[in-house]
């Protein structure tokens, strides 16, 4: 084999090695990048579902039921009112709050205020929060969070329940389809909801499936 042909062959082999190395690197890093992006998106979805749960629990405390429509939930948060207790007077250092109330030193007064101000008094951007709450993150407001509410029978009583769900294919929109299908298959194999959810229409629980 002459020198020129040998050099050319070495160049070709080196190029093939580089291509193969890149392909291997890409195949390794692709799921790593997918999981990183999935986890970042999931954190935002979880926070939105936590906020929905906060509203649902406050509404249920005042009305003995949950809200089963996401638009109605946002409307209540924006326009509804909730009772809250305010302490009138100062509790002495030598007494507990309960002792001060019993002695008449302080009193508890019940007031009503806009639901949003009661539940999220320190949120930095009320308007944006309200505008986005009903929607699945990363969908450009094309998908709304699915919300249901009703009752289940427990020990002879009708107990209120709710469930808010966001499937993988919605909040992972634009990401690798095969990886999303793999997530769905894994969840189905484990008999778990293929996405993120809070509450349940079958049990009287308000936990999220990330907890």
């Amino acid at each position: 084999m002459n020198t020129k042909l040998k050099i050319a062959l070495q160049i070709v082999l080196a190029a093939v090695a580089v291509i193969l190395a890149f392909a291997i690197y890409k195949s390794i890093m692709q799921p790593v990048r997918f999981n990183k992006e999935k986890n970042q998106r999931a954190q935002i979805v979880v926070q939105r579902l936590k906020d929905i749960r906060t509203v649902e629990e406050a509404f249920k405390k005042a009305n003995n039921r949950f809200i089963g429509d996401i638009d109605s939930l946002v409307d209540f948060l924006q326009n509804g009112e909730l009772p809250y207790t305010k302490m009138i007077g100062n509790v002495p250092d030598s007494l507990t709050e309960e002792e001060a109330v019993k002695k008449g030193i302080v009193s508890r007064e019940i007031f009503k205020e806009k639901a949003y101000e009661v539940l999220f008094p320190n949120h930095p951007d009320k308007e944006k929060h309200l505008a986005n709450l009903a929607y699945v993150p990363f969908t450009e407001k094309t998908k709304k969070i699915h919300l249901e509410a009703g009752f289940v029978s427990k020990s002879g009583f009708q107990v209120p329940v709710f469930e808010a769900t966001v499937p993988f294919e919605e909040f992972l929109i634009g990401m690798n389809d095969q990886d999303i299908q793999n997530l769905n298959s894994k969840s189905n194999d484990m008999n778990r909801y293929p996405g993120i959810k809070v509450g349940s229409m079958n049990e009287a629980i308000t936990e999220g499936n990330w907890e």
Side-chain angles (χ1 to χ4, degrees), residues 42-53:
Q43 287 179 3
I44 295 172
V45 174
V46 165
Q47 185 57 57
R48 196 154 298 180
L49 293 182
K50 284 181 177 179
D51 289 348
I52 288 172
R53 175 171 61 187

Side-chain angles (χ1 to χ4, degrees), residues 23-41:
I24 293 170
Y25 173 81
K26 187 177 179 181
S27 68
I28 293 172
M29 291 306 297
Q30 197 281 326
V32 172
R33 287 193 294 267
F34 176 85
N35 285 327
K36 181 179 179 180
E37 177 71 13
K38 179 200 72 174
N39 292 338
Q40 290 173 343
R41 292 191 181 196

Side-chain angles (χ1 to χ4, degrees), residues 90-106:
N90 297 312
V91 179
D93 293 338
S94 59
L95 298 175
T96 66
E97 184 178 302
E98 289 298 328
E99 290 170 340
V101 170
K102 289 179 180 179
K103 290 178 178 292
I105 298 173
V106 298

Side-chain angles (χ1 to χ4, degrees), residues 149-164:
F151 295 86
V152 295
S153 180
K154 185 175 180 180
S155 302
F157 295 95
Q158 290 296 299
V159 180
V161 293
F162 83 95
E163 182 178 272

Side-chain angles (χ1 to χ4, degrees), residues 169-192:
E169 59 264 24
E170 290 188 2
F171 79 90
L172 299 180
I173 187 170
M175 296 181 66
N176 185 275
D177 287 337
Q178 185 59 56
D179 287 331
I180 296 172
Q181 291 178 26
N182 293 342
L183 279 176
N184 286 333
S185 297
K186 183 177 179 180
S187 296
N188 290 329
D189 290 344
M190 298 174 66
N191 198 29
R192 299 186 63 184

Side-chain angles (χ1 to χ4, degrees), residues 80-202:
E81 292 184 329
L82 283 170
Y84 73 99
T85 303
K86 183 177 181 180
M87 185 68 65
I88 307 299
N90 297 312
V91 179
D93 293 338
S94 59
L95 298 175
T96 66
E97 184 178 302
E98 289 298 328
E99 290 170 340
V101 170
K102 289 179 180 179
K103 290 178 178 292
I105 298 173
V106 298
S107 63
R108 294 191 184 106
E109 301 290 339
I110 297 177
F111 298 87
K112 280 196 172 184
E113 191 172 348
K114 289 290 186 180
Y116 192 93
E117 307 306 325
V118 174
L119 298 177
F120 303 104
N122 300 315
H123 198 282
D125 194 339
K126 174 182 176 181
E127 296 304 318
K128 185 178 180 180
H129 191 203
L130 284 168
N132 292 334
L133 189 60
Y135 296 94
V136 175
F138 310 102
T139 64
E140 302 297 330
K141 294 187 177 181
T142 60
K143 298 287 185 181
K144 287 187 175 181
I145 293 171
H146 183 67
L147 181 63
E148 292 183 80
F151 295 86
V152 295
S153 180
K154 185 175 180 180
S155 302
F157 295 95
Q158 290 296 299
V159 180
V161 293
F162 83 95
E163 182 178 272
T165 55
V166 181
F168 287 128
E169 59 264 24
E170 290 188 2
F171 79 90
L172 299 180
I173 187 170
M175 296 181 66
N176 185 275
D177 287 337
Q178 185 59 56
D179 287 331
I180 296 172
Q181 291 178 26
N182 293 342
L183 279 176
N184 286 333
S185 297
K186 183 177 179 180
S187 296
N188 290 329
D189 290 344
M190 298 174 66
N191 198 29
R192 299 186 63 184
Y193 174 72
I196 303 177
K197 73 165 193 164
V198 63
S200 172
M201 290 302 295
N202 301 313

